[in-house]
Amino acid sequence: MEYKIKHAPQLPKKTFITALSSCNNVIIEETSLLTLSELGLLGEFLKLVPQVTVLHSVFQNINQSTHRFGGSLNTQTPQQILSTLQKHISTLRLLEVDGNTPIEKYLNCFPSEKTLLLTDDLYLLQLLGKPTGTLISGNLFNVIEFLYDKEKISKELFHESVASACELGLFEPYMRMNLLHESVAYYLNVVGGVDYSQTRFKPIFTKLFEIKRDSAFCFDLLFRMLDPKKLRTELHPETLLTLFRAFLIRHPIATLSSTIAIWFIRKCLNEDSNKLDLSGRSETHFKHWDEFQSIMMLEYGADIDLKFMFESVVNELLCLKEDVRQRAFEAVKLCFIPTTQESTMFERIYQKISYTTTITRLSEE
């Protein structure tokens, strides 16, 4: 695709399926015709829908674009769309509506009846106004999930379609977190680890974490993407390291050691703090500490100083808000058996850096 489209939102899967079966009016907007055709999925979708609506003006534009001299220089895509629509002409409704602009025409498409609008254009949705009780919108990821649920595409093609969608001219592709987690697990849950850039997860990662996107938003998205409870699996340390390095190249808002420490703290916070063994340690938290050490050793060498690892964690703990900080501190302590060398060393370093930080802050006031 030759132009950038800021991506329209994806509906929850169940909401989309319900809307598809209950709406009297299913309209496919031009951008969705383009994206679904590019992915080779338009025909498969049309086979499953009793009736779809395309604006007559949109159909005319596509038809004109197929002509070598009257249309665009690249006529292959409109020819492909036109051919697919003609194959499903019996279930296609061409709607002639009044309006001087495309926005006016779309507004006149759904004055009262419940409508499902398939669009990948966020700006169009914004100009139409927020979806209401009579207007529901979905995007190409909804269609990809729908086709997979209906067993019209294989698991391999399902995930390939998600990756390929991120190679289209979509700016900030809008996929729900559960779909992103499925893609992470499918491509990156490899025994022995894998460099993400050597998999088809690369176009997904590249588009989601584009340099132009807000770094703070992307930082939070990175950790939500790697939430093991949502992934239902643990990624190999080497795989995680490739993701962290690549992220920081695009968004250098933290050091690598602090990024790994934040990831570790978030994992500890998200675990149940009541499940302790007889030694007073949480095996789940200890497992997270073991993973943290493995990643740090991969990056800094097997002889990495324990003090450096503790300091990396403590420095990030002290950046948290006070109420969260105390909970996080207690959560990290569960990684160690009380009164052991590791436990004592961690608490001592926490107290020392905390004291130094407090003194420094007071002196600056």
Side-chain angles (χ1 to χ4, degrees), residues 100-169:
N100 296 321
T101 66
I103 303 302
E104 289 180 3
K105 290 179 180 180
Y106 276 110
L107 283 171
N108 291 329
C109 284
F110 29 83
S112 58
E113 61 180 334
K114 193 173 183 180
T115 299
L116 173 62
L117 175 65
L118 283 180
T119 179
D120 290 292
D121 187 351
L122 177 64
Y123 295 128
L124 173 67
L125 276 184
Q126 290 174 337
L127 290 170
L128 291 177
K130 293 182 179 179
T132 63
T134 57
L135 172 62
I136 304 171
S137 71
N139 68 17
L140 83 164
F141 291 123
N142 284 122
V143 176
I144 294 171
E145 287 185 326
F146 175 68
L147 292 176
Y148 180 57
D149 283 357
K150 291 294 184 179
E151 299 181 347
K152 295 302 179 181
I153 58 176
S154 65
K155 185 175 184 179
E156 181 181 1
L157 182 55
F158 166 65
H159 287 289
E160 174 58 32
S161 296
V162 174
S164 295
C166 291
E167 293 177 315
L168 300 177

Side-chain angles (χ1 to χ4, degrees), residues 13 27 39 88 100 109 119 138 142 196 204 226 245 252 314 349:
K13 184 194 295 187
I27 299 176
L39 296 175
H88 298 86
N100 296 321
C109 284
T119 179
N142 284 122
Y196 90 93
I204 302 174
L226 297 176
R245 287 170 177 160
V314 169
I349 290 175

Side-chain angles (χ1 to χ4, degrees), residues 12-169:
K13 184 194 295 187
K14 290 183 180 179
T15 305
F16 178 79
I17 293 173
T18 300
L20 196 58
S21 61
S22 64
C23 285
N24 301 320
N25 200 16
V26 178
I27 299 176
I28 305 183
E29 186 264 335
E30 193 169 3
T31 56
S32 288
L33 288 172
L34 284 167
T35 56
L36 291 173
S37 182
E38 287 283 332
L39 296 175
L41 300 177
L42 180 60
E44 290 299 324
F45 178 66
L46 294 178
K47 289 177 185 177
L48 297 176
V49 185
Q51 185 183 67
V52 295
T53 298
V54 174
L55 292 193
H56 188 267
S57 57
V58 170
F59 185 82
Q60 281 186 318
N61 289 337
I62 294 170
N63 192 26
Q64 290 172 1
S65 297
T66 62
H67 301 296
R68 182 177 177 185
F69 298 106
S72 63
L73 293 176
N74 180 13
T75 60
Q76 183 176 356
T77 298
Q79 283 177 347
Q80 185 175 306
I81 295 172
L82 186 62
S83 175
T84 303
L85 293 177
Q86 288 173 337
K87 288 177 183 177
H88 298 86
I89 197 69
S90 61
T91 59
L92 179 66
R93 179 173 70 147
L94 295 179
L95 187 63
E96 184 77 63
V97 291
D98 295 329
N100 296 321
T101 66
I103 303 302
E104 289 180 3
K105 290 179 180 180
Y106 276 110
L107 283 171
N108 291 329
C109 284
F110 29 83
S112 58
E113 61 180 334
K114 193 173 183 180
T115 299
L116 173 62
L117 175 65
L118 283 180
T119 179
D120 290 292
D121 187 351
L122 177 64
Y123 295 128
L124 173 67
L125 276 184
Q126 290 174 337
L127 290 170
L128 291 177
K130 293 182 179 179
T132 63
T134 57
L135 172 62
I136 304 171
S137 71
N139 68 17
L140 83 164
F141 291 123
N142 284 122
V143 176
I144 294 171
E145 287 185 326
F146 175 68
L147 292 176
Y148 180 57
D149 283 357
K150 291 294 184 179
E151 299 181 347
K152 295 302 179 181
I153 58 176
S154 65
K155 185 175 184 179
E156 181 181 1
L157 182 55
F158 166 65
H159 287 289
E160 174 58 32
S161 296
V162 174
S164 295
C166 291
E167 293 177 315
L168 300 177

Side-chain angles (χ1 to χ4, degrees), residues 8 21 23 58 91 96 119 166 169 175 178 180 191 193 198 203 214 254 271 284 290 306-307 311 316 321-322 358 365:
S21 61
C23 285
V58 170
T91 59
E96 184 77 63
T119 179
C166 291
M175 69 176 75
N178 57 344
L180 178 56
V191 176
Q198 302 303 309
D214 179 73
E271 294 293 347
T284 305
D290 191 50
L306 183 60
K307 180 174 177 286
E311 288 175 343
E316 296 311 316
K321 293 181 180 179
E322 190 172 347
T358 302
E365 292 179 354

Side-chain angles (χ1 to χ4, degrees), residues 118-343:
L118 283 180
T119 179
D120 290 292
D121 187 351
L122 177 64
Y123 295 128
L124 173 67
L125 276 184
Q126 290 174 337
L127 290 170
L128 291 177
K130 293 182 179 179
T132 63
T134 57
L135 172 62
I136 304 171
S137 71
N139 68 17
L140 83 164
F141 291 123
N142 284 122
V143 176
I144 294 171
E145 287 185 326
F146 175 68
L147 292 176
Y148 180 57
D149 283 357
K150 291 294 184 179
E151 299 181 347
K152 295 302 179 181
I153 58 176
S154 65
K155 185 175 184 179
E156 181 181 1
L157 182 55
F158 166 65
H159 287 289
E160 174 58 32
S161 296
V162 174
S164 295
C166 291
E167 293 177 315
L168 300 177
L170 300 174
F171 177 60
E172 298 182 3
Y174 197 127
M175 69 176 75
R176 294 183 63 82
M177 286 303 300
N178 57 344
L179 178 57
L180 178 56
H181 288 138
E182 287 183 52
S183 297
V184 171
Y186 180 80
Y187 285 116
L188 302 183
N189 187 24
V190 177
V191 176
V194 64
D195 181 343
Y196 90 93
S197 66
Q198 302 303 309
T199 74
R200 286 293 289 157
F201 189 70
K202 181 181 179 180
I204 302 174
F205 184 92
T206 299
K207 192 58 69 74
L208 287 178
F209 299 105
E210 282 184 311
I211 293 174
K212 294 181 180 179
R213 300 194 77 176
D214 179 73
S215 292
F217 170 83
C218 288
F219 206 45
D220 180 65
L221 176 61
L222 176 69
F223 295 120
R224 287 190 290 129
M225 181 183 82
L226 297 176
D227 184 342
K229 288 189 175 180
K230 300 294 177 60
L231 286 176
R232 298 177 184 176
T233 187
E234 296 282 354
L235 299 184
H236 193 276
E238 289 192 8
T239 303
L240 288 167
L241 200 52
T242 67
L243 293 169
F244 291 148
R245 287 170 177 160
F247 175 84
L248 292 173
I249 289 173
R250 294 166 173 80
H251 300 279
I253 62 174
T255 65
L256 181 55
S257 61
S258 65
T259 301
I260 299 169
I262 293 169
W263 165 80
F264 163 67
I265 292 168
R266 288 178 67 123
K267 292 189 74 173
C268 289
L269 269 172
N270 288 334
E271 294 293 347
D272 187 348
S273 60
N274 296 318
K275 296 179 180 179
L276 307 181
D277 59 22
L278 294 176
S279 69
R281 180 180 69 186
S282 163
E283 284 303 313
T284 305
H285 286 75
F286 175 69
K287 181 182 176 183
H288 295 332
W289 172 250
D290 191 50
E291 291 168 337
F292 171 72
Q293 287 188 102
S294 296
I295 297 177
M296 294 291 277
M297 287 178 181
L298 279 172
E299 178 61 21
Y300 299 103
D303 58 347
I304 183 174
D305 186 15
L306 183 60
K307 180 174 177 286
F308 172 71
M309 288 193 283
F310 279 143
E311 288 175 343
S312 298
V313 173
V314 169
N315 285 329
E316 296 311 316
L317 285 173
L318 294 174
C319 291
L320 299 174
K321 293 181 180 179
E322 190 172 347
D323 57 333
V324 180
R325 183 194 314 155
Q326 188 59 36
R327 287 195 297 110
F329 171 65
E330 296 295 336
V332 173
K333 280 173 59 179
L334 295 176
C335 298
F336 317 113
I337 299 174
T339 72
T340 58
Q341 181 182 1
E342 283 185 328
S343 176

